[in-house]
Amino acid sequence: AQTVTQSQPEMSVQEAETVTLSCTYDTSESDYYLFWYKQPPSRQMILVIRQEAYKQQNATENRFSVNFQKAAKSFSLKISDSQLGDAAMYFCAYSGNPGSARQLTFGSGTQLTVLP
Amino acid sequence: DAGVIQSPRHEVTEMGQEVTLRCKPISGHNSLFWYRQTMMRGLELLIYFNNNVPIDDSGMPEDRFSAKMPNASFSTLKIQPSEPRDSAVYFCASSFSLQGFKIYTQYFGPGTRLTVL
């Protein structure tokens, strides 16, 4: 079974600074997807970014980028120019079994605080 | 476009009562997922449907839980009878998946916060 580990329960960053959230996963599959979701106090789960395992290039979405290290099974999220609205719980998630819809396996989350 | 719609947003009920949570997936999506979020267990999948057919219900905790998807635009999650340990936030998510075409992004609804007294 796949597992996702987020070893940082809490992180804080100064507004306008950069922060990196860590995620590691364990799988025997060769093709899969990885995601970062954001959950603000409203508790809505919002997709931040996704990475296809077969792509070597790291995904980027505006101020959000990932460092995907397939051999190390590591998938970290970098937030540049942090804003107050970035404060939320961040979940790393894994989806495997190509060719069919499968459930997401989530990490335990990292609570990000942005300091003004 | 409307996202995933869930109702009610909040539900407070007494132990032993029946609870029905509702979900309308994004139009055109053919996969639907029910998740439960608690402090103790985090986010866990309860059941998912593909083309209205339940594919994996191994996450459904007990026979008290049941889910249906009578058509592509509606799903329900029912708890009968409810217990205090069922208190959680229940999320519905949907995605589009075509065999051999890799799209796995799931879009979540706002969740239903259930409190069982």
Side-chain angles (χ1 to χ4, degrees), chain B residues 6-100:
Chain B
Q6 289 187 248
S7 64
R9 293 294 306 276
H10 303 272
E11 178 78 28
V12 180
T13 190
E14 293 187 345
M15 183 174 62
Q17 296 298 305
E18 178 179 293
V19 175
T20 300
L21 310 182
R22 297 173 177 80
C23 175
K24 177 178 170 58
I26 292 172
S27 178
H29 282 187
N30 62 350
S31 295
L32 184 139
F33 307 79
W34 282 101
Y35 292 88
R36 179 172 65 176
Q37 185 179 32
T38 61
M39 289 294 292
M40 291 295 293
R41 300 175 66 90
L43 277 155
E44 52 183 346
L45 178 77
L46 299 177
I47 186 171
Y48 85 89
F49 296 84
N50 194 34
N51 295 321
N52 311 338
V53 177
I55 303 300
D56 184 354
D57 65 354
S58 59
M60 296 286 262
E62 314 173 19
D63 291 345
R64 299 184 297 106
F65 285 70
S66 63
K68 293 182 180 179
M69 192 165 187
N71 56 62
S73 59
F74 184 66
S75 177
T76 58
L77 177 67
K78 185 176 294 185
I79 308 172
Q80 166 64 20
S82 58
E83 297 183 2
R85 61 193 167 119
D86 301 331
S87 297
V89 179
Y90 291 81
F91 287 101
C92 176
S94 72
S95 71
F96 177 74
S97 175
L98 189 64
Q99 186 74 20

Side-chain angles (χ1 to χ4, degrees), chain A:
Chain A
Q2 292 79 22
T3 58
V4 178
T5 302
Q6 293 179 251
S7 58
Q8 307 154 315
E10 297 176 349
M11 292 281 285
S12 63
V13 62
Q14 207 73 35
E15 194 175 5
E17 297 295 309
T18 296
V19 65
T20 298
L21 308 184
S22 301
C23 173
T24 59
Y25 58 94
D26 188 25
T27 184
S28 58
E29 296 176 319
S30 59
D31 197 8
Y32 47 87
Y33 280 60
L34 296 164
F35 304 84
W36 280 97
Y37 282 88
K38 165 185 175 181
Q39 187 176 39
S42 68
R43 75 169 182 266
Q44 174 82 48
M45 293 288 286
I46 302 166
L47 177 69
V48 175
I49 199 167
R50 79 174 196 181
Q51 174 81 41
E52 294 89 338
Y54 65 88
K55 289 186 177 179
Q56 293 187 338
Q57 185 173 7
N58 290 325
T60 62
E61 287 287 345
N62 300 314
R63 297 182 295 107
F64 298 87
S65 62
V66 299
N67 184 5
F68 173 49
Q69 301 289 329
K70 190 172 184 179
K73 297 180 181 175
S74 170
F75 183 61
S76 60
L77 175 69
K78 185 171 82 171
I79 306 174
S80 303
D81 186 25
S82 297
Q83 301 176 358
L84 295 176
D86 296 333
M89 180 74 86
Y90 285 81
F91 291 96
C92 178
Y94 170 102
S95 178
N97 194 14
S100 65
R102 286 300 300 267
Q103 68 270 29
L104 291 166
T105 300
F106 286 91
S108 55
T110 296
Q111 182 68 51
L112 178 66
T113 300
V114 181
L115 305 170

